[in-house]
Amino acid sequence: MSDFWILLTGSLVAACCGVVGVFLVLRKMAMIGDAISHSVMPGIVIAFLLSGSRDSFLMMTAALGFGLITTFLIGMFQRSGIQSDASIGVVFTALFAVGVILVSLFARQVHLDQDAILYGEIAFVHWNLWEAGGVNMGPKAVWLLGFTLVVIGTVIGLFYKQFKLCSFDPALAAALGIPVAFFHYLLMGLVSMATVSSFESVGAILVVGMIIIPASTAYLLTDKLGMMIVLSIVSGIASVFLGYYVSMALDASIAGCIVCASGVLFVAAFLFSPSHGYVMRKLRQRKLASRSGVSASA
């Protein structure tokens, strides 16, 4: 039964991260996911210090706030003339350092340490159960991730055209009266939700791989946004199953094997994608060269 919960949790993580990751990749904001995943740590610690518990909803709310603060600060520094990569590096390292200091000062004696937040452990999800009225409802992580997926799916579904236009042509979107800044921060809020929901299963660092790698794989396989979202989710879930069974065979980290499997799928897409694959592109070039040689000799 533990295998079922682990695979279900991993699949939900892949779905949540896969959807928001597509829009980050299209907007060329992949490292924003990395920044948010680290900079929400102060929010998590502050929520714990205020409530005295690891209540997931309160932590998610605090993390959402810090995710938006991170996005705002990065944008402010960029508008001030600082380069994009430097802005991201300054903000997320500074906020992450604040979170580490808060943990070391005030939360050292409880199960809220840097390793738990950064790396997580998906093998333990079936032990952290939610009970309602004395009834075992299953792992908390599954319910939290399921709720997050419903929210992400609902928001993206309701404003699909707006997100699509803002991703491909923000200038046109602004000219049409679409509030580009609002949808930008709304997307960052969804990224924060996906990140925090995935902490207990794969951790803050590894969730970055699940946000970026499956979406990048899908980007190589299709030019249509809808299909790209589907392929991103499928690629993420496939990497969960592949990585889990590899980790069982090697007795290695489950989360690490999942992200490595995702990387293997990306390399396969990079090499053999029908439209963008390196190998396929070289084969087409050889065919064109051979045809040109035949035409010249004729």
Side-chain angles (χ1 to χ4, degrees):
M1 192 63 179
S2 61
D3 291 354
F4 169 78
W5 290 121
I6 291 171
L7 292 172
L8 177 59
T9 302
S11 298
L12 290 172
V13 170
C16 292
C17 295
V19 175
V20 297
V22 165
F23 293 97
L24 291 181
V25 169
L26 289 176
R27 290 166 176 244
K28 299 180 180 180
M29 297 171 60
M31 294 310 297
I32 288 287
D34 188 20
I36 290 177
S37 68
H38 286 75
S39 59
V40 296
M41 188 172 178
I44 293 173
V45 180
I46 291 172
F48 173 79
L49 294 176
L50 292 176
S51 65
S53 69
R54 298 177 61 203
D55 179 76
S56 297
F57 179 77
L58 183 59
M59 285 188 174
M60 179 181 290
T61 303
L64 281 174
F66 269 84
L68 295 178
I69 290 172
T70 300
T71 306
F72 173 78
L73 291 176
I74 291 173
M76 182 181 69
F77 291 150
Q78 289 177 346
R79 289 190 294 271
S80 300
I82 300 176
Q83 293 182 350
S84 175
D85 56 348
S87 300
I88 293 173
V90 168
V91 173
F92 97 74
T93 51
L95 290 177
F96 180 66
V98 170
V100 171
I101 292 172
L102 290 174
V103 170
S104 63
L105 288 177
F106 303 111
R108 189 180 302 171
Q109 303 303 320
V110 298
H111 185 59
L112 187 67
D113 53 65
Q114 295 96 315
D115 288 343
I117 292 176
L118 289 178
Y119 304 114
E121 183 47 74
I122 196 171
F124 298 153
V125 294
H126 62 284
W127 290 350
N128 187 14
L129 303 175
W130 176 37
E131 292 188 1
V135 179
N136 182 3
M137 303 296 292
K140 289 182 179 179
V142 170
W143 286 95
L144 179 59
L145 287 164
F147 171 76
T148 302
L149 182 59
V150 169
V151 172
I152 291 174
T154 301
V155 172
I156 297 297
L158 289 175
F159 303 108
Y160 179 78
K161 293 182 179 179
Q162 289 85 344
F163 278 115
K164 181 177 181 179
L165 192 55
C166 289
S167 297
F168 287 102
D169 196 339
L172 176 59
L176 294 175
I178 297 175
V180 177
F182 169 77
F183 284 104
H184 172 73
Y185 285 108
L186 182 58
L187 176 63
M188 294 304 105
L190 296 179
V191 173
S192 299
M193 284 189 67
T195 300
V196 178
S197 300
S198 305
F199 274 159
E200 294 187 11
S201 52
V202 297
I205 291 179
L206 295 181
V207 74
V208 177
M210 296 303 292
I211 287 177
I212 303 305
I213 301 176
S216 300
T217 302
Y219 181 83
L220 294 172
L221 297 175
T222 183
D223 296 323
K224 297 181 179 179
L225 178 58
M227 182 55 65
M228 184 177 174
I229 293 174
V230 173
L231 290 176
S232 178
I233 295 172
V234 171
S235 173
I237 294 176
S239 67
V240 168
F241 279 78
L242 179 61
Y244 176 71
Y245 289 111
V246 169
S247 72
M248 293 297 100
L250 299 178
D251 192 22
S253 166
I254 297 175
C257 287
I258 288 173
V259 176
C260 286
S262 186
V264 170
L265 294 179
F266 171 79
V267 171
F270 174 77
L271 293 175
F272 302 108
S273 168
S275 55
H276 302 289
Y278 179 81
V279 173
M280 303 304 292
R281 190 166 60 248
K282 289 297 183 181
L283 290 176
R284 286 196 296 269
Q285 290 175 355
R286 287 187 178 183
K287 287 182 179 180
L288 290 174
S290 62
R291 289 177 181 176
S292 300
V294 171
S295 299
S297 62

